[in-house]
Amino acid sequence: PENLQKTWLREFCQTVQAHRPHFVALHCQEVGGKNYEASMTHVDSFIKELLSSDAMKDFNRARVYLDKNYKSQEQFT
């Protein structure tokens, strides 16, 4: 995931900087991979890198909603 994440974040940031939107909504699914138990640490890293990127510096707020309760299979999204 580290290699893919860096490439994806670079492309995303370039797109945001090129279009300079007033609002960005991003839905991510399977950021850490299909094995969510083993990959949940990648999600935290992804969010931190995304929010600290130059592309996001012009935004004055962010909201992140994460479902990290993967122990409850019936409710995990």
Side-chain angles (χ1 to χ4, degrees):
E2 293 86 11
N3 293 332
L4 184 60
Q5 179 175 312
K6 288 178 184 179
T7 302
W8 192 92
L9 281 170
R10 183 181 65 246
E11 292 296 323
F12 175 80
C13 290
Q14 287 174 354
T15 301
V16 169
Q17 290 171 325
H19 294 282
R20 304 188 58 81
H22 296 282
F23 175 86
V24 174
L26 179 63
H27 175 265
C28 298
Q29 189 168 339
E30 297 176 3
V31 169
K34 296 205 181 274
N35 184 348
Y36 45 84
E37 290 183 53
S39 303
M40 203 52 114
T41 57
H42 297 294
V43 174
D44 292 330
S45 165
F46 174 80
I47 295 298
K48 287 177 186 173
E49 278 195 59
L50 176 66
L51 294 178
S52 66
S53 69
D54 285 341
M56 301 303 285
K57 70 179 181 197
D58 291 332
F59 295 97
N60 62 4
R61 66 188 134 230
R63 296 288 180 263
V64 178
Y65 299 95
L66 298 173
D67 181 357
K68 294 174 108 179
N69 184 12
Y70 54 82
K71 300 288 185 198
S72 175
Q73 293 292 325
E74 307 82 40
Q75 298 177 353
F76 182 68
T77 56

